[in-house]
Amino acid sequence: ECQLHPFEALYERHAEAVYSLAIKITREANIADTVLHEIFWQIWCEPTSLPAGENLMAYFCRVARGASLQQLRLRNKHNQLSG
């Protein structure tokens, strides 16, 4: 059996929850995709950004919520400027 790279294992374990929370908050698949990719890209680039000793699911929920709200703010700002 092939072992997953630690990053892949982390993604497999938490991506669905991150995406689900992002879609609940944003109600838009493209924004939820952006949130998902943003969060895991940050971890890929800077693995030390993961908190040591904190419950990872709680961490991902907190970060996904913040990133989702930020994406909504950006979208609303863009809509105001273009409309």
Side-chain angles (χ1 to χ4, degrees), residues 10 13-14 48-64:
L10 190 68
R13 196 172 308 120
H14 298 287
T48 57
S49 67
L50 280 174
E54 183 179 345
N55 176 304
L56 284 179
M57 185 55 78
Y59 167 78
F60 278 112
C61 287
R62 182 170 39 83
V63 172

Side-chain angles (χ1 to χ4, degrees), residues 32-48:
D33 283 334
T34 299
V35 167
L36 178 66
H37 294 288
E38 229 177 57
I39 290 170
F40 282 94
W41 178 249
Q42 171 70 28
I43 293 167
W44 177 261
C45 292
E46 199 175 328
T48 57

Side-chain angles (χ1 to χ4, degrees), residues 2-3 5 22-24 32-33 39 41 51 57 60 63 66 68 76-77:
C2 181
Q3 289 286 331
H5 181 276
I23 200 90
K24 237 181 238 184
D33 283 334
I39 290 170
W41 178 249
M57 185 55 78
F60 278 112
V63 172
S68 295
N76 291 341
K77 187 175 185 177

Side-chain angles (χ1 to χ4, degrees), residues 16-30:
E16 187 178 337
V18 168
Y19 183 82
S20 294
L21 182 57
I23 200 90
K24 237 181 238 184
I25 292 170
T26 66
R27 300 185 189 280
E28 291 191 31
N30 62 331

